[in-house]
Amino acid sequence: MSDFQGTKVLLDESEIPTHWYNIQADMKQLPAPPISPATGKPVAPEELARIFPAALLQQEVSTERFIEIPDEVRRIYQLWRPTPLYRARRLEAALQTPAEIWYKYEGVSPAGSHKLNTAIAQAYYNREAGIRHLTTETGAGQWGSALAIACAFVGIHCEVYMVKVSYEQKPYRRILMESYGADVYASPSERTASGRAILAKDPNSTGSLGMAISEAVELAAQRDDTNYALGSVLNHVLLHQTVIGQEAKKQLEKVDRAPDVVIGCVGGGSNFGGLAFPFLQEILNGTRKAKVLAVEPQACPTLTQGVFAYDYADVAGLTPILQMYTLGHDFVPTGIHAGGLRYHGDSPLVSQLYHDGIIDAVAYPQRPVFEAALQFARTEGTLPAPESAHAIRAAIDEALAAKAAGEKRVILFNLSGHGNFDLAAYEEYLRGRLTDAPYSEAEAEKNLQSLPKVGV
Ligand SMILES: *Cc1c(COP(=O)(O)O)cnc(C)c1O
């Protein structure tokens, strides 16, 4: 290791990756094929062509290792990419650890998170295919704001179904989306058959990502000039996020470092996959060794307590059935503040890697996560998104383990976004009103009974 005295490693614009890295080229075991809810057989591309453009459907199943980033997309990336890689020197000092802690900061995008990396690509391919409107769901509002910006850049319209509890608790994200020209509705809404069915059963439903997905997909399937965009979970979304890990690898090489641990928080798996996959390329082909750690909330412990099974990606059962770790598509997590981590399922790629023992996972209750967030804010200055704070918690624990073992480990984590729109959650924590929302095993059992029967 060279004697690096600095605090951050920057790249220049010409070093923005020219290709996305497709991990499907290197996985020995690929995820099982998505199943059509209509036929019970593997999904035919025509079925999905109603809601996705051909270019993205091709990326979904491609096994080509590198896929070229279109010029227009790469030029838009130049607004905020390459993103900085920081060494968390003040946090290291506070922890008195011999470990080095490095973080890739995706909060410098105008959306404030990594989500713009895929939003731009998806909006671009849809416009190229002649689409005029994109529908989508959003939880905490990060994905909705990223897609709203992306649609404004490429000149199409954006319609967002926002989980009702967030719509009510986080008006600023809604205003932000509207400022970028999007129309935003609280989900479940009266605008769709799936929304009306949910409200008929439970008029006070606070919504969930699964419900909002049902609404957005239903509308996209009905209109010819309208498609649907998903902010995580699918293979093409994780593909687009690999600019993060490719840059981080180059940045660490510049200072002669190789990470012993690579950490990301996991909601649907996209920021985690984005950072980890380019490192996993070499782990899979045997030229690199590192622990790769996915971090999730204990109130929504998809990898650590879910089952590996076929399940719907939404509540109404409109989407293809994916093999993944899942808590059951009816699962509605208790009101935890990391809205972006409240999803019942997980990326099939990340699920397969976890199932095959290639990556590790850990779950944390929210109070120790917020404690880590504030320690980070007070030493590094950036107030992290509550989602990203899960990765910080794990990075701190790895640094403390290295201290106990007297080892100089190199820890890398993804700071997927800033928390400037999450001040209400921070206030809850600072006033001592935040509880460690438990995961109910009984509830879990019930939800797992509604998994679709596939292949029987
Ligand atoms: C949406 C979001 C997440 C969770 O989604 P993934 O697809 O798992 O990355 C994490 N961090 C931030 C800042 C987010 O906006």
Side-chain angles (χ1 to χ4, degrees):
M1 271 196 253
S2 67
D3 185 21
F4 173 71
Q5 297 294 328
T7 299
K8 61 185 179 302
V9 184
L10 302 174
L11 299 175
D12 69 53
E13 278 183 18
S14 65
E15 295 176 280
I16 296 172
T18 54
H19 292 71
W20 292 300
Y21 165 62
N22 180 13
I23 197 167
Q24 296 189 79
D26 292 301
M27 284 170 73
K28 278 152 206 93
Q29 184 70 48
L30 287 173
I35 299 291
S36 160
T39 66
K41 298 211 166 62
V43 174
E46 310 83 77
E47 290 178 67
L48 293 177
R50 296 179 61 97
I51 58 170
F52 293 114
L56 293 178
L57 290 173
Q58 274 158 20
Q59 292 178 359
E60 195 61 21
V61 296
S62 170
T63 51
E64 209 178 310
R65 184 167 286 114
F66 289 100
I67 295 176
E68 191 166 12
I69 303 175
D71 257 357
E72 184 176 339
V73 172
R74 207 163 163 273
R75 279 202 304 277
I76 298 175
Y77 280 173
Q78 288 173 348
L79 259 179
W80 74 97
R81 306 211 70 84
T83 61
L85 177 78
Y86 288 95
R87 176 151 173 208
R89 289 191 179 273
R90 301 167 67 89
L91 177 60
E92 288 170 16
L95 298 172
Q96 297 182 305
T97 175
E100 294 188 359
I101 304 175
W102 295 82
Y103 59 98
K104 181 74 167 156
Y105 185 39
E106 290 294 307
V108 294
S109 92
S113 79
H114 67 291
K115 292 205 171 71
L116 200 55
N117 297 325
T118 184
I120 299 290
Q122 293 190 47
Y124 165 83
Y125 286 118
N126 275 290
R127 189 208 59 202
E128 289 298 282
I131 290 298
R132 304 301 310 148
H133 309 269
L134 279 179
T135 63
T136 198
E137 75 294 335
T138 197
Q142 285 107 324
W143 168 241
S145 26
L147 195 68
I149 295 172
C151 286
F153 284 169
V154 309
I156 60 178
H157 171 246
C158 180
E159 184 170 320
V160 182
Y161 289 80
M162 185 172 188
V163 176
K164 192 182 279 167
V165 60
S166 303
Y167 185 94
E168 286 163 359
Q169 286 175 3
K170 300 184 174 173
Y172 293 123
R173 285 271 179 201
R174 170 174 57 76
I175 297 163
L176 188 65
M177 290 183 265
E178 289 172 348
S179 303
Y180 287 116
D183 288 320
V184 186
Y185 303 99
S187 168
S189 79
E190 295 283 350
R191 293 172 57 82
T192 64
S194 13
R196 289 189 295 271
I198 294 159
L199 289 172
K201 262 203 265 172
D202 177 10
N204 298 319
S205 170
T206 53
S208 70
L209 276 178
M211 292 177 194
I213 294 174
S214 294
E215 293 204 89
V217 168
E218 181 185 323
L219 288 169
Q222 281 166 3
R223 308 185 202 140
D224 282 346
D225 64 350
T226 304
N227 268 348
Y228 164 73
L230 188 61
S232 187
V233 179
L234 297 180
N235 302 349
H236 67 264
V237 181
L238 276 69
L239 171 81
H240 301 153
Q241 294 296 351
T242 59
V243 288
I244 304 172
Q246 292 183 74
E247 286 178 8
K249 221 158 101 175
K250 197 180 266 186
Q251 286 162 311
L252 285 173
E253 276 161 16
K254 287 203 174 196
V255 292
D256 196 21
R257 299 294 193 278
D260 298 299
V261 194
V262 177
I263 300 170
C265 66
V266 174
S270 76
N271 88 86
F272 168 79
L275 178 70
F277 286 1
F279 292 96
L280 278 163
Q281 179 186 2
E282 292 154 357
I283 292 172
L284 287 168
N285 72 24
T287 58
R288 178 190 291 275
K289 269 209 164 90
K291 169 175 171 183
V292 179
L293 183 62
V295 192
E296 57 187 16
Q298 212 165 65
C300 190
T302 313
L303 291 172
T304 52
Q305 294 197 54
V307 294
F308 187 58
Y310 268 111
D311 196 7
Y312 294 106
D314 69 329
V315 167
L318 299 176
T319 61
I321 305 167
L322 305 173
Q323 189 176 60
M324 59 185 173
Y325 279 88
T326 179
L327 299 169
H329 57 275
D330 290 325
F331 176 72
V332 181
T334 39
I336 52 164
H337 281 280
L341 304 184
R342 289 163 50 111
Y343 186 58
H344 69 272
D346 213 326
S347 142
L349 290 171
V350 171
S351 294
Q352 189 68 49
L353 291 163
Y354 182 63
H355 189 67
D356 292 342
I358 293 161
I359 62 171
D360 293 324
V362 63
Y364 283 108
Q366 63 181 348
R367 276 187 298 196
V369 164
F370 274 88
E371 185 195 333
L374 290 189
Q375 185 169 27
F376 184 82
R378 290 168 191 181
T379 50
E380 295 298 310
T382 301
L383 188 72
E387 290 85 357
S388 320
H390 288 72
I392 298 175
R393 176 75 264 165
I396 290 176
D397 286 357
E398 287 288 337
L400 293 174
K403 176 178 171 180
E407 284 175 19
K408 190 175 163 63
R409 288 182 208 155
V410 175
I411 299 164
L412 170 67
F413 75 88
N414 199 3
L415 186 61
S416 50
H418 67 64
N420 297 356
F421 287 98
D422 299 285
L423 296 180
Y426 279 98
E427 182 175 37
E428 290 284 288
Y429 179 72
L430 290 167
R431 302 283 170 267
R433 294 196 295 252
L434 211 68
T435 54
D436 286 337
Y439 173 68
S440 147
E441 306 252 343
E443 171 97 356
E445 280 296 310
K446 199 182 84 210
N447 287 320
L448 288 174
Q449 279 163 16
S450 59
L451 293 185
K453 304 268 178 297
V454 168
V456 290

